Amino acid sequence: MTTQIPELMNLTERESSEAPHAEAPHAEAPHTETPHAPVAVRDALLGKFDLDELLNCMHCGFCLPTCPTYQQTGLETYSPRGRIALMKGVAEEKLAIDAEFEKNMYACLGCRACETACPSGVAYGRLIETAREVVEDNKKRQGKRSFTRKMIFKNVFPHPKRIRAFGTALWVAQALGLQKAANRTGLIRILPREMAEMQHAVAKVASPAKRKERPPILRAEREPALKIGFFKGCIMDEMFYETNQATARLLSKAGCDVVFVEDQACCGALHAHSGEKSGAADLAKRNIEAFERAGVDFVVNNAGGCGAALKDYGHWFAHDPEWRHRAHAFVAKVRDANELLAELPPLTFHKPLNVRVTYQDSCHLAHGQGVRNQPRQLIRSIPGVDLVEMSHPDSCCGSAGIYNIMNFDMSMDILDDKMKDVQRTKAHVIVTANPGCLLQMREGIMRAGLQGRMEAVHIMDLLDRAL
Amino acid sequence: MLTEDLRQQFISVVGQKWFLDSPNELHAYSYDATPLLQFIPDAVIIPGSVQEVATVLRMANEHRIPVIARGSGTNLAGGTIPVQGGIVLNMNRFNQIHEIDEKNLTATLGPGVITADLHAAVEAVGLFYPPDPGSMRISTVGGNVAQGAGGMRGLKYGVTKDYVMGLEYVLPTGDVLRSGGKNVKDVAGYDLTRLMVGSEGTLGVITEITVKLLPLPATKRTLVVYCRNLVDAARIVERIIAAKIIPATIEFLDQATMKVVDDFAKLGLPLDMASMLLIEQDGNEAQVVQDIEKIAEIARQTGAAEVHMAATMEEGAKLLTARRSALSALSRVRPTTILEDATVPRARLADMVEEIERVARKYNLQICTFGHAGDGNLHPTCMTDERDHEEIERVEQAFEEIFHAAIRFGGTITGEHGVGMAKSRYLHLKVGEGGIELMERLKAAFDPNNILNPGKVFAKRDRRRIVVRQS
């Protein structure tokens, strides 16, 4: 149910200097685009908004300087404060759930830097997910869902086999030199511009044969022999298979039995960020069940975006008495690999690296999970590594899940600014802790013409190199 | 509502990109940081040059369309709420620092420069712009000038008004005027620069600002003092000043604030204490150490229960966490946070805090008080819920009593937020009916058609801060 907000100073009624509350030019507030939507349906839709949380925003504006899209545009509609006001406007039926609202909700990176800056502790990440859910539900109701969306969220991410097939296809393409050939011949231009740009950044993927060699468990090389379930991540395990292997090696050296838990699924982050809450919840259930069966001490992952979603499962099932407790028990075990490695006795490194590196925070690791010091501490522990901080290391690189595909121009503007900060550090290596950021930083290196002089590396790979 | 013809004319002045009037865009400029106030403008215009500002103003004046100049919209007095509709004139494209003049110790900049960016730019060359309002990381210097913003360094360094040396501004007629400049001494005619500062966008639209700079102090040290009662804290402040020491900052937290802050930030504050003071001194190393030691000695002699000195600047920053977390902590307690800025001469600090506590008890409200003890500028902060009409009514009555008390103690209704809509009803308490009348005549001289930020400062003396309409 929507809570009724009393109209304090009604925003449709203005004061005029002669006759107070005389004119009401915007009184005919639009509602949803469907005419005569049944009240119950509309209430069910708008009732998804958490009005208490929306009210917690005191519109102080402290989030504005941390918001990459506000920094790019200077427009209030592109700021967290603005978006929350728009959500409130929709929840109170002063604004319609229309194309403009949809555009504004999807213009957000979802980096959650605003949450770090917010004095009131507003859970913005959840608010934007709900807003997108309302947009998508409204479209479903009107039969307006796009074919691509349906394909991606229903037919790709929930199916590990299909993602594996994608990985194989990518490997085949790379093995045959198709990617290069496509680039050379200009064939690449048949891809949409956004996809064509971003595919440059894809690294060499592992062969299907190599992937089959992976044993189901990697034994600890020393005490304390914790039993950890490795959360592979769907994209991560296809495109960054070697990074997963490196992470497992590091964990085993640090004293963990690393179990590649069977039947795990995508974390559901992309679904949740795109308003596909029920799809996200289905994936979450599969993961909770899989790791329960495995009986592990910790659930460990190496992708900031996935980790933040895994840690949010408790909230996804807040209104589901059956799953709530299981979700909370699962969340209590989730750790980012950086978090766990920083807690365990230090690793022994044998190969000094002698490089200057800079660390680009993963938004969902820093703002979403509050993990900032651990990766830095691990980087500093590598002999020969000089960590030079860039300015605004925890400001989003513009990758943001599928944002760089959906909002390509904005994403590239943010990236180009990020690269200026990176270049000032004179680092040889940009270290990241999330696959999306890694691809984006590789793209950034190319855009800045720094190939061969700078590389982007996942922190687990950097640590692994020094073992 | 603008006619289509006028819309097109405005668009031809600034370009399609900088003229906003879709439903979402209008909604996003209907509020600032003030609780409970929201009105929809007819258009948002983001000009890029003085010429564009002049043309927009001239057209608006001709058609009697209200114009509300706006920076980042962080003011707490409803200063940028388009209460009569019209055009929100967002000045944030004027974000260039034109010059840092190291010989004359001035900076000249556009009004859209973010305050913290100005700090960073001048500090990079060893200079110092002291005004540091709480919102400095996002507030604009233009907004600071228009609202007469203060900050934590007011005691030693003064506030925004003490640093504005010159302005360029545009009148509703489109005339572009300049006042002041880089001269330390300048008594040529009325001081229109000073008049513009704190005029809340009701007299003209500021397009360029020249501010005074100081050499950047070499270092700073912090001290925290806990007191068992309010009177001791107030006496410590008085005696520090009487000893001819002017610290950069003396911040104050009452027990209620300490409790909420400790609950939030887990700082391990001694909650049996009635209040705490955070004192910072800046300057050269020897002087700073000497001052801080003297202050510690005065505090101990004046009944302080505990005194802690920070050994380094980092430790000092940690001590200041309590003060910096105050707003965060308070705003999490209840959905609506109403922060006021009643101010008294510093000798009446204890009286004022006690009066606020009495009023809170009388109206059964949760009011915490913190603020700038050094300059008597307090922030009684009420945690409430805008959905509870009956409670909001009590909040209104309580603040009315608090404002009356501030005046009784020789203070003012607003120290650093401005009058705006929030306190226009109480302005007469401070300036008198004669004062308001004169201000209105000044306003008419600048803006005879009342298009600049109408409904602010003295517009409706009988209107309450919060209009609750029972449905």
Side-chain angles (χ1 to χ4, degrees):
Chain A
M1 269 302 294
T2 46
T3 316
Q4 280 298 315
I5 299 276
E7 296 185 331
L8 296 161
M9 285 187 102
N10 191 315
L11 91 158
T12 60
E13 274 188 41
R14 284 182 189 149
E15 165 194 289
S16 99
S17 43
E18 279 74 40
H21 309 295
E23 43 176 342
H26 288 279
E28 66 301 349
H31 299 295
T32 56
E33 278 188 332
T34 320
H36 316 299
V39 175
V41 175
R42 204 185 58 217
D43 281 357
L45 196 57
L46 297 182
K48 286 178 188 275
F49 283 111
D50 182 346
L51 269 173
D52 285 332
E53 197 60 23
L54 289 173
L55 272 176
N56 265 338
C57 169
M58 52 179 182
H59 33 104
C60 63
F62 285 18
C63 54
L64 271 58
T66 68
C67 176
T69 56
Y70 180 77
Q71 286 304 306
Q72 290 295 328
T73 61
L75 297 174
E76 189 75 21
T77 40
Y78 283 79
S79 74
R81 174 173 72 170
R83 294 184 192 111
I84 289 176
L86 297 179
M87 292 175 207
K88 212 169 142 206
V90 166
E92 293 170 352
E93 298 188 69
K94 285 165 183 158
L95 289 172
I97 310 171
D98 56 9
E100 190 192 12
F101 181 69
E102 178 181 349
K103 183 202 79 183
N104 285 323
M105 293 305 112
Y106 279 101
C108 169
L109 293 152
C111 70
R112 297 165 66 184
C114 49
E115 288 188 28
T116 300
C118 179
S120 304
V122 172
Y124 175 85
R126 279 177 217 140
L127 291 178
I128 192 80
E129 284 183 0
T130 307
R132 290 173 180 177
E133 193 187 340
V134 169
V135 167
E136 296 308 326
D137 283 2
N138 190 48
K139 276 162 82 181
K140 270 178 220 166
R141 235 184 47 217
Q142 299 171 351
K144 277 194 198 162
R145 298 233 305 153
S146 88
F147 173 74
T148 332
R149 263 194 87 89
K150 210 165 140 189
M151 203 185 79
I152 292 176
F153 289 110
K154 269 215 135 92
N155 300 336
V156 179
F157 283 108
H159 304 281
K161 272 189 195 147
R162 292 179 199 173
I163 293 179
R164 216 167 299 143
F166 164 76
T168 304
L170 205 57
W171 175 78
V172 169
Q174 287 185 337
L176 296 176
L178 284 181
Q179 223 178 355
K180 270 191 196 138
N183 266 327
R184 220 173 20 240
T185 57
L187 207 61
I188 200 81
R189 275 183 233 129
I190 63 165
L191 283 175
R193 181 180 57 131
E194 295 80 358
M195 304 283 273
E197 279 270 351
M198 287 311 296
Q199 67 83 35
H200 291 301
V202 176
K204 207 163 174 321
V205 301
S207 76
K210 194 155 185 213
R211 283 190 257 152
K212 272 209 180 117
E213 286 167 15
R214 176 151 72 193
I217 183 161
L218 188 62
R219 290 287 171 199
E221 290 189 19
R222 70 172 185 209
E223 292 295 304
L226 293 169
K227 186 179 176 192
I228 67 120
F230 192 76
F231 182 85
K232 299 181 287 186
C234 52
I235 301 280
M236 198 70 209
D237 210 41
E238 294 313 315
M239 295 174 78
F240 300 101
Y241 177 84
E242 292 299 342
T243 305
N244 273 355
Q245 293 300 93
T247 310
R249 268 195 298 279
L250 289 161
L251 288 164
S252 91
K253 286 201 186 301
C256 300
D257 283 336
V258 183
V259 184
F260 291 92
V261 174
E262 290 286 317
D263 299 325
Q264 54 178 295
C266 163
C267 63
L270 289 178
H271 284 76
H273 303 331
S274 309
E276 304 284 340
K277 210 35 153 317
S278 71
D282 289 344
L283 291 166
K285 286 179 186 171
R286 277 159 60 186
N287 283 323
I288 292 168
E289 279 174 340
F291 283 87
E292 277 175 353
R293 270 196 305 274
V296 293
D297 301 320
F298 292 105
V299 178
V300 182
N301 74 93
N302 60 10
C306 303
L310 297 176
K311 287 181 179 176
D312 216 23
Y313 280 6
H315 294 280
W316 293 7
F317 295 106
H319 304 296
D320 184 335
E322 193 201 326
W323 281 89
R324 192 171 51 219
H325 298 294
R326 291 171 77 178
H328 278 298
F330 175 85
V331 170
K333 290 181 179 175
V334 177
R335 297 285 185 285
D336 183 83
N338 287 289
E339 259 180 308
L340 194 62
L341 286 173
E343 273 176 44
L344 293 170
L347 291 159
T348 316
F349 296 107
H350 298 288
K351 295 177 216 154
L353 294 183
N354 300 321
V355 282
R356 182 184 298 129
V357 311
T358 193
Y359 177 68
Q360 163 64 27
D361 282 284
S362 147
C363 293
H364 283 197
L365 192 57
H367 305 297
Q369 303 179 56
V371 176
R372 297 157 184 276
N373 296 332
Q374 296 92 324
R376 290 177 165 83
Q377 179 192 326
L378 289 170
I379 293 169
R380 287 203 183 92
S381 73
I382 303 173
V385 165
D386 178 20
L387 174 64
V388 182
E389 293 281 359
M390 68 178 101
S391 45
H392 316 299
D394 63 349
S395 182
C396 184
C397 63
S399 160
I402 51 171
Y403 190 92
N404 50 5
I405 308 287
M406 309 303 283
N407 300 57
F408 180 74
D409 293 319
M410 177 77 82
S411 167
M412 292 302 122
D413 289 346
I414 291 169
L415 177 59
D416 293 344
D417 283 352
K418 171 63 68 183
M419 290 310 296
K420 287 177 202 151
D421 287 336
V422 168
Q423 278 178 266
R424 274 191 281 268
T425 67
K426 301 195 167 60
H428 312 109
V429 182
I430 313 172
V431 184
T432 72
N434 185 56
C437 316
L438 189 54
L439 283 177
Q440 180 88 343
M441 295 318 302
R442 284 186 183 156
E443 173 73 14
I445 288 170
M446 280 184 260
R447 287 174 69 90
L450 294 167
Q451 302 98 308
R453 279 181 287 160
M454 190 185 277
E455 60 170 335
V457 177
H458 192 288
I459 182 167
M460 292 299 137
D461 289 319
L462 187 78
L463 293 168
D464 185 57
R465 282 182 194 177
L467 283 178
Chain B
M1 209 71 135
L2 301 181
T3 62
E4 185 52 34
D5 184 42
L6 261 177
R7 261 189 97 244
Q8 291 307 328
Q9 286 185 46
F10 281 120
I11 289 170
S12 71
V13 175
V14 292
Q16 188 79 56
K17 186 179 177 191
W18 305 112
F19 179 95
L20 317 175
D21 68 347
S22 72
N24 280 4
E25 287 164 342
L26 296 179
H27 197 91
Y29 292 84
S30 63
Y31 54 81
D32 53 27
T34 319
L36 315 177
L37 298 176
Q38 193 173 24
F39 288 86
I40 302 281
D42 294 308
V44 180
I45 293 179
I46 313 177
S49 68
V50 180
Q51 201 44 54
E52 287 178 10
V53 172
T55 311
V56 168
L57 282 180
R58 196 170 56 239
M59 286 167 59
N61 196 35
E62 202 175 300
H63 297 276
R64 309 288 190 264
I65 302 165
V67 175
I68 300 91
R70 183 189 194 270
S72 297
T74 55
N75 81 86
L76 290 162
T80 47
I81 304 282
V83 64
Q84 293 176 22
I87 295 165
V88 168
L89 198 66
N90 191 350
M91 298 299 288
N92 64 358
R93 286 171 71 200
F94 285 68
N95 58 356
Q96 299 294 309
I97 297 175
H98 304 302
E99 182 196 43
I100 296 172
D101 183 340
E102 294 181 58
K103 290 180 186 137
N104 285 308
L105 293 188
T106 61
T108 300
L109 54 139
V113 171
I114 303 294
T115 315
D117 291 347
L118 176 61
H119 288 155
V122 302
E123 284 169 23
V125 294
L127 295 173
F128 185 37
Y129 174 71
D132 61 342
S135 55
M136 65 188 182
R137 292 203 49 204
I138 184 60
S139 67
T140 61
V141 178
N144 295 166
V145 172
Q147 296 297 123
M152 305 226 295
R153 301 175 187 141
L155 170 61
K156 182 173 181 177
Y157 291 105
V159 293
T160 305
K161 71 174 179 201
D162 301 306
Y163 290 85
V164 181
M165 297 180 73
L167 292 173
E168 177 190 73
Y169 55 97
V170 187
L171 294 179
T173 50
D175 292 321
V176 181
L177 301 184
R178 281 186 170 273
S179 65
K182 291 183 182 178
N183 302 298
V184 172
K185 296 181 176 176
D186 182 355
V187 290
Y190 292 159
D191 191 345
L192 296 177
T193 309
R194 270 289 180 118
L195 182 58
M196 288 298 295
V197 176
S199 64
E200 305 190 11
T202 62
L203 300 181
V205 174
I206 297 166
T207 47
E208 192 190 281
I209 303 163
T210 298
V211 296
K212 176 172 83 175
L213 302 174
L214 300 177
L216 184 65
T219 189
K220 53 189 172 189
R221 281 291 158 79
T222 312
L223 181 82
V224 60
V225 177
Y226 298 105
C227 299
R228 282 193 216 290
N229 58 60
L230 284 171
V231 179
D232 285 345
R235 271 174 47 223
I236 290 168
V237 175
E238 284 167 34
R239 290 205 182 162
I240 292 167
I241 308 292
K244 314 279 188 291
I245 301 171
I246 307 287
T249 296
I250 306 182
E251 294 296 306
F252 162 87
L253 277 74
D254 74 354
Q255 192 178 37
T257 310
M258 286 167 66
K259 278 184 178 152
V260 176
V261 165
D262 196 64
D263 198 38
F264 163 63
K266 311 277 179 248
L267 298 169
L269 300 177
L271 298 176
D272 52 328
M273 298 293 167
S275 62
M276 66 187 282
L277 294 172
L278 284 152
I279 302 166
E280 193 167 83
Q281 180 61 307
D282 61 8
N284 66 56
E285 181 75 25
Q287 186 66 52
V288 168
V289 169
Q290 188 190 321
D291 281 357
I292 284 288
E293 278 169 2
K294 187 82 196 287
I295 292 167
E297 191 188 315
I298 292 170
R300 284 192 200 99
Q301 286 167 0
T302 318
E306 281 178 51
V307 179
H308 298 290
M309 227 180 299
T312 60
M313 265 164 75
E314 289 72 41
E315 207 185 312
K318 237 183 208 168
L319 287 176
L320 276 171
T321 308
R323 168 62 178 90
R324 295 204 192 282
S325 325
L327 180 61
S328 307
L330 295 177
S331 62
R332 283 166 205 236
V333 176
R334 301 275 307 273
T336 310
T337 307
I338 301 181
L339 174 94
E340 283 299 353
D341 62 331
T343 300
V344 291
R346 73 174 76 86
R348 304 307 295 269
L349 196 72
D351 294 336
M352 191 64 207
V353 175
E354 274 168 358
E355 177 66 10
I356 293 167
E357 286 178 353
R358 187 193 65 77
V359 170
R361 278 194 304 275
K362 176 177 170 188
Y363 291 99
N364 189 25
L365 294 168
Q366 191 177 9
I367 302 181
C368 294
T369 304
F370 63 97
H372 318 293
D375 48 36
N377 178 195
L378 293 173
H379 291 305
T381 303
C382 185
M383 283 81 79
T384 179
D385 188 332
E386 64 186 69
R387 290 168 292 191
D388 186 340
H389 289 182
E390 185 273 329
E391 181 169 321
I392 291 288
E393 187 69 27
R394 278 186 280 126
V395 173
E396 175 66 24
Q397 288 167 4
F399 275 116
E400 182 160 351
E401 276 201 37
I402 289 170
F403 294 138
H404 277 277
I407 297 290
R408 212 163 54 238
F409 295 137
T412 180
I413 56 169
T414 172
E416 58 179 1
H417 295 170
V419 177
M421 293 168 73
K423 274 158 292 196
S424 58
R425 188 172 165 243
Y426 309 108
L427 181 61
H428 69 281
L429 297 178
K430 180 68 178 85
V431 305
E433 296 300 335
I436 289 182
E437 218 170 276
L438 180 58
M439 285 184 193
E440 281 174 332
R441 281 180 5 230
L442 279 168
K443 160 80 174 166
F446 279 75
D447 176 23
N449 298 321
N450 193 26
I451 63 154
L452 292 178
N453 210 2
K456 307 298 163 64
V457 186
F458 35 66
K460 284 206 165 310
R461 259 162 282 162
D462 58 334
R463 206 204 24 220
R464 311 198 70 164
R465 173 204 165 83
I466 302 147
V467 175
V468 182
R469 297 188 306 122
Q470 306 286 348
S471 48

